[in-house]
């Protein structure tokens, strides 16, 4: 199985900060990497597909990059509604696997 | 508007069975792969598996932790998908989400609200 390692597991940031979350796959997954946001008590929602594609309706302050084994989710200017948990997911091969999550908290 | 609504969760004893339903609206269920994802309380997301479209042979794949106990099915004429869970274990306790595959990169572009399954004696 492909292991997905996300870092950091949590971070504290202020509104307006630039935030970067990384995800590393244990083997190459090409660009089959997706990012999700989950707010407490809610279902996750898709932010980024295929490493860098912005899902319809998602603000442009979210961006993704990377290929192979190393990927990054960037929030260019953190907004109050962005405080949430973020997960990466690989679909390069089954079983699809998720990173353990990154919780973004208010500083 | 695309919607997925799960139902059928609840409290069940270990070793028993439970069937979850996922009703789709706002799109043609038969055109999409459906995946099931679960999340234990306070934990991260775990892929349970998926069922491909009939055009793709209705292929199913399962996580090792549920293989031979869980069964996916779909009734595209009714826009409903099912997750039959047998021989339930306490570690199956979680919120179960049905999700639609966005077809680009195994991305899950729409999620239901989830249904809670608690396995306990």
């Amino acid at each position: 199985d492909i292991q997905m390692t996300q870092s950091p597991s949590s971070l504290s940031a202020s509104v307006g900060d630039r935030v970067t979350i990384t995800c590393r796959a244990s083997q190459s997954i090409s660009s089959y990497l997706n990012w999700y946001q989950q707010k407490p008590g809610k279902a996750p929602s898709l932010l980024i597909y295929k490493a860098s594609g912005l899902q319809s309706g998602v603000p442009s302050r979210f961006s993704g990059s990377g290929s192979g084994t190393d990927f990054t989710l960037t929030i260019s200017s953190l907004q109050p509604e962005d405080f949430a948990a973020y997960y990466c997911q690989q679909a390069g091969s089954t079983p699809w696997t998720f990173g353990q999550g990154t919780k973004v908290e208010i500083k | 508007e695309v919607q997925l609504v799960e139902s059928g969760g609840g409290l069940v004893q270990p070793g028993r069975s439970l069937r979850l339903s996922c009703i789709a609206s706002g799109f043609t269920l038969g055109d999409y792969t459906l995946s099931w994802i679960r999340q234990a309380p306070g934990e991260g997301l775990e892929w349970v598996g998926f069922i491909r479209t009939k055009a793709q042979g209705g292929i199913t794949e399962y996580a090792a932790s549920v293989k031979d106990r869980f069964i996916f099915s779909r009734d595209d004429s009714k826009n409903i998908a099912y997750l039959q869970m047998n021989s339930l274990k306490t570690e199956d306790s979680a919120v179960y989400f049905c999700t639609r595959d966005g077809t680009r990169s195994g991305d899950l572009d729409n999620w239901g609200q989830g249904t809670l399954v608690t396995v306990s004696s």
Side-chain angles (χ1 to χ4, degrees):
Chain A
D1 297 2
I2 297 176
Q3 309 302 318
M4 303 302 293
T5 304
Q6 250 180 273
S7 61
S9 55
S10 65
L11 65 91
S12 294
S14 301
V15 172
D17 284 353
R18 182 181 182 88
V19 169
T20 299
I21 299 169
T22 63
C23 188
R24 174 164 287 177
S26 59
Q27 63 190 75
S28 178
I29 55 171
S30 183
S31 295
Y32 291 96
L33 190 285
N34 308 302
W35 290 97
Y36 302 88
Q37 178 192 67
Q38 186 179 31
K39 296 182 180 178
K42 300 293 188 183
S45 62
L46 178 66
L47 294 174
I48 301 289
Y49 62 90
K50 209 168 185 180
S52 60
L54 188 67
Q55 174 67 357
S56 176
V58 173
S60 59
R61 63 181 178 271
F62 291 92
S63 64
S65 64
S67 66
T69 60
D70 294 312
F71 301 88
T72 300
L73 173 70
T74 300
I75 310 172
S76 60
S77 177
L78 198 65
Q79 297 302 300
E81 60 267 32
D82 301 336
F83 292 95
Y86 294 84
Y87 294 91
C88 61
Q89 173 235 342
Q90 70 82 18
S93 64
T94 55
W96 294 350
T97 45
F98 290 87
Q100 80 277 15
T102 296
K103 190 171 182 181
V104 177
E105 297 174 314
I106 301 172
K107 182 183 282 185
Chain B
E1 179 194 6
V2 171
Q3 272 201 308
L4 295 163
V5 179
E6 304 93 336
S7 61
L11 175 64
V12 61
Q13 293 179 327
R16 304 298 290 263
S17 298
L18 201 64
R19 188 177 80 163
L20 306 183
S21 300
C22 173
I23 298 176
S25 60
F27 69 103
T28 302
L29 183 67
D31 292 341
Y32 291 87
T33 291
L34 283 182
S35 295
W36 291 86
I37 308 298
R38 69 183 181 182
Q39 186 170 37
E43 301 295 323
L45 302 170
E46 181 185 12
W47 179 77
V48 178
F50 61 60
I51 180 166
R52 295 271 188 220
T53 66
K54 285 198 167 46
Q56 294 169 314
I59 292 169
T60 54
E61 294 215 27
Y62 299 90
S65 57
V66 306
K67 192 173 170 59
D68 299 327
R69 298 189 298 121
F70 287 13
I71 301 171
F72 305 132
S73 61
R74 59 193 302 158
D75 185 340
D76 295 335
S77 67
K78 295 181 179 176
N79 266 10
I80 302 178
Y82 300 101
L83 169 53
Q84 177 68 42
M85 303 186 293
N86 301 320
S87 304
L88 281 160
K89 305 176 180 180
T90 56
E91 53 264 39
D92 294 319
S93 295
V95 174
Y96 285 73
F97 298 100
C98 70
T99 72
R100 189 183 82 166
D101 187 336
T103 73
R104 294 161 297 194
S105 58
D107 56 297
L108 308 171
D109 71 352
N110 280 273
W111 295 61
Q113 85 287 354
T115 187
L116 176 62
V117 173
T118 303
V119 185
S120 173
S121 54

